Amino acid sequence: MNRSATLWLVFGAALVAGGCVKETRPLPVLQATQATTEIPEEQLLDVGVHIFDPGVPKAVEEDPELADKTRIYPEIRYAEARYTAMQLRDTLEGTGHWGAARVVPATVNSFDVTVDGEILESSGADLKLLVTVRDATGKVWFAKREYEGRADTRAYKDGYNAGRDPFENVYVAIANDMLAARTARKPEDLANIRRVSELRFAADFAPVAFSQYVEKNKKTGEYKVLRLPAEDDVLVKRIDQIRERDYGMIDTVSENYAAFSERLEEPYTSWRRYTYDEITAEEKLKAQARNRMLLGAAAVIAAVAVPDSCNTSDCARIADAARYGAMAGGVAAVISGYRKREEAKIHTESIKEISGSFQSEAAPLVVDVEGRTLRLTGTAEDQYAEWRRLLHELYREETGLVPAAPAAEATSTPAQTSGAG
């Protein structure tokens, strides 16, 4: 390398060591496809959105340090499992393409269409979900499909009043895919889904009486209608009454999840806004730290590489200035890089503190259902299992027939209740 090239390397390294950060452009605002005509009643499918799997690894639950490292905070994820499901439900409900859309525990399978989801990643900056949708016949519309998106930071600005979630584009993508899957089905297929849903509910309470109407394929897990009961069947009418009571409980559960999400919205939005700031600041600082240390080291090496001999006095003065200036600038850049890295650690601790303050906001709700006080937490499935047990008792008292045991009881322990009963 000649002397002039070496000198330009020295000064170039000193100038570039500061680095630069590009601003991101606003994300496009996607909208869910809206219904433009009225959908016939027999084709209007009810949707049950199960509480999402929070996606918390066991190792993270047992190791707080690992939680900090992965930014997976169990208490927050459990709250997000409800909140994310509610956001999807709101998006679906707003399209006009579906019947009732409810957020329910995972044990509720009495809907025409059910949605299961898992949170793969969630922070103020990014959201990634894994979603499976199937109908009451057992047919899978799509399975374990990934949806991800970057936060629309306009939702984090002070005074923002559009009421749009930072990750609404993710929910819109899911809603549009569900609509595409539904549209691909014939009207008679949609009507059949509703019939199977009704008969499956009836068979759960009276398997002996209703097994002649619906059959499950043991290999595929899919259901098909064998024949329909008479419209004036007394037993059918009683099952319909019980289903209405079950819908009432489901509405209560869903409404309380909605109230939970509303109460959670303000602190959760603030948490996401601050964590977004902390995450992006940390990423910038780490990038700057790497650039400054690499370029600083390059400047130090370049300074050492400046030749000691020059043919003129002016050359010698320039070489000395370049050598000592680059050496000083390079060392300063390395030190600055380490300082930036320390700042990044401070921001990481700040994320931990903000997350800790959020956890106190995500308190469970206590509701009263027909004289029984239920505590809605992550064990809401147990509570619903207890409710279904009571419905089976009610059916037995009204009909004198013995219903099938609730499937949820095999894997769940009834939640503690208090009150009349």
Side-chain angles (χ1 to χ4, degrees), residues 92-251:
L92 292 170
E93 195 172 58
T95 65
H97 285 293
W98 309 95
R102 299 288 183 266
V103 173
V104 292
T107 52
V108 180
N109 292 304
S110 54
F111 282 85
D112 303 324
V113 177
T114 57
V115 181
D116 290 282
E118 179 183 357
I119 301 174
L120 299 180
E121 180 181 358
S122 180
S123 67
D126 299 281
L127 178 66
K128 182 185 291 187
L129 306 174
L130 196 66
V131 178
T132 297
V133 178
R134 58 173 56 85
D135 62 40
T137 69
K139 287 186 171 64
V140 177
W141 289 14
F142 53 85
K144 295 184 177 181
R145 186 174 293 180
E146 283 193 13
Y147 295 87
E148 61 181 313
R150 190 78 174 170
D152 184 349
T153 56
R154 285 170 291 200
Y156 294 152
K157 293 181 179 179
D158 293 335
Y160 181 81
N161 56 8
R164 186 178 172 88
D165 188 88
F167 301 101
E168 183 64 24
N169 284 355
V170 175
Y171 306 121
V172 167
I174 299 171
N176 286 344
D177 281 359
M178 288 180 60
L179 175 61
R182 198 210 70 179
T183 305
R185 282 155 174 77
K186 299 177 182 179
E188 54 266 32
D189 292 334
L190 301 178
N192 182 60
I193 290 172
R194 286 172 57 94
R195 284 194 295 270
V196 172
S197 176
E198 294 169 357
L199 290 173
R200 283 184 60 185
F201 184 89
D204 179 53
F205 282 85
V208 175
F210 285 92
S211 60
Q212 59 183 310
Y213 301 116
V214 63
E215 180 182 61
K216 180 180 180 180
N217 186 310
K218 294 182 179 180
K219 292 183 178 180
T220 65
E222 295 181 3
Y223 295 82
K224 69 175 182 178
V225 176
L226 301 176
R227 63 191 185 91
L228 296 176
E231 293 184 0
D232 59 351
D233 190 311
V234 176
L235 189 57
V236 171
K237 291 182 178 180
R238 289 183 177 178
I239 290 291
D240 288 342
Q241 293 174 351
I242 291 177
R243 195 177 194 193
E244 286 302 314
R245 292 176 182 177
D246 188 49
Y247 276 155
M249 174 60 177
I250 289 173
D251 285 343

